Amino acid sequence: MSDWDGWSGEQSGRGRRDDGYGRGSEQAQPEGAQRMRHVQRPGPQASRQQPPQPQQPPRRPAEQPAGPGGPGRPAYVPGQQDGSYDSGYNTGQVYGGGHGSAQPPAGPRGRGTGGPGGPARPAGPAPDWRRRIKIGSIVLVSGLLVTGVGTYFWADSNVRREVDLSKVIERPKEGDCTTYLIVGSDSREGMSDEEKKKLHTGSAEGKRTDSMMILAKCSSGNTMISLPRDSDVEIPSFVGSESGKKFAGTGKRTKLNAAYAEDGPELLVRTVEFNTGLRIDHYAEIGFAGFANIVDALGGVELNIEKGFKDEKSGADFKEGTQTLNGEQSLAYVRTRYAFAESDLQRTKNQQKFLSALASQAATPSTILNPFSLYPMLGAGLDTLIVDKDMSLWDMGSMFFAMKGISSGDGVSMNMPISGQRGGNLVWDKAKVQQLVKQIQNDEKVTVRGQ
């Protein structure tokens, strides 16, 4: 019995007309078009009735579009009773379309497959901090390098290279150490009357040496030797720094500072070399104003004064203890000699002590790397600092660091050995001076001691 037989018998047996289509009729006229119920046929018969399906790659669960039934459910397909059949005519949904378009499942906070506010956005890569730090370091180093080079050329162009050591004749042999002759002059150059009065410098014209010392920078240890300005020395033959004329030596003995007063730095170097036998490699001189300005630019210099003293001529008035000296006080400290029984010998000791403390505070990272400290200090020093023509900024830096090493105990600080006096002048101990010079020339540890 077929499906059609069951329908016709059931309806005709009831003796009433069925408005549906597809049943038999006893009337003479033929029936019109009949409505037939669609029957799903399983197996090969149903498959033969379907059009060929295009091959589609399998979809991952996260890629399935959302149908009317909810997220993850496919839309209805005619002729499909469960969600497992696809006729092949559904070409898929377009995400993010207009009204009625389906949306894919949203990932956490807009990541992954998509966010509630729009299309999917892939998560960005994590920041590469190593690369950022590397680039930042390169920029920083480049900036410091450019600043350092600029500062070097600025400072180098402002150095007053006015002393020509090539004019010095009959020079001793070169030694293994680098030697500097450091001179503090009483030059009032550039000072107003008010500044002269404030700093107790007087108003004398010209300039004279107020302090002199030899700094030997050696691998065996640095040595600073003060030369009292009242030292008894012989003025040798020399060539005039201005005239170029040679002056023969007369054997005349006089105070060391007289050589400077007679023909300036070149004759002073010539006299020191002739009386010691030690070659001087570089010359550096600074006046009163520059000395005081450097101290003020640093914000003062801290110094321990072991015993208080007072001197009306220099303006000194110090109490015992550690204190910070400004420019005016510092100048008074290094110039005072009448307040001490040892007079000039004690003054030279104070000068060494102060210069070492000054260099120790100037040659520090907090000063060198801070432009608000470095530039004022350089500006103050370069205004009055006079050096020889062959002295570079590197040589100047080496000089300051050598003085700093002495203040920290890495070196020797002393006066030139004295054996007595002659007419009020201090006479050097020749034997000790020769031994001292030999040790410096050969870069040996200095064992000689002076006053």
Side-chain angles (χ1 to χ4, degrees), residues 14 95 143 225 251 344 367:
R14 291 181 181 181
Y95 298 149
I225 309 163
D344 203 37
T367 299

Side-chain angles (χ1 to χ4, degrees), residues 60 88 105 140 144 152 159 169-170 181 198 206 214-215 239 244 255 262 284 288 317 383 399 407 416 433:
R60 295 189 300 271
L140 177 61
L144 292 175
Y152 180 89
V159 174
I169 61 174
E170 302 175 10
L181 180 60
K198 178 182 178 181
I214 295 173
L215 174 64
V239 173
K255 294 182 179 180
E262 184 173 345
F288 284 160
D317 187 4
D383 284 342
M399 179 182 70
S407 68
M416 186 65 80
V433 170

Side-chain angles (χ1 to χ4, degrees), residues 143-191:
L144 292 175
L145 182 61
V146 171
T147 302
V149 171
T151 300
Y152 180 89
F153 283 104
W154 166 78
D156 189 73
S157 64
N158 285 277
V159 174
R160 298 174 59 182
R161 296 184 174 92
E162 301 176 3
V163 179
D164 189 359
L165 295 184
S166 66
K167 295 179 180 179
V168 180
I169 61 174
E170 302 175 10
R171 310 196 67 185
K173 66 176 183 179
E174 293 186 2
D176 295 332
C177 300
T178 302
T179 55
Y180 302 83
L181 180 60
I182 303 172
V183 175
S185 74
D186 63 358
S187 172
R188 282 85 173 170
E189 181 182 358
M191 295 176 65

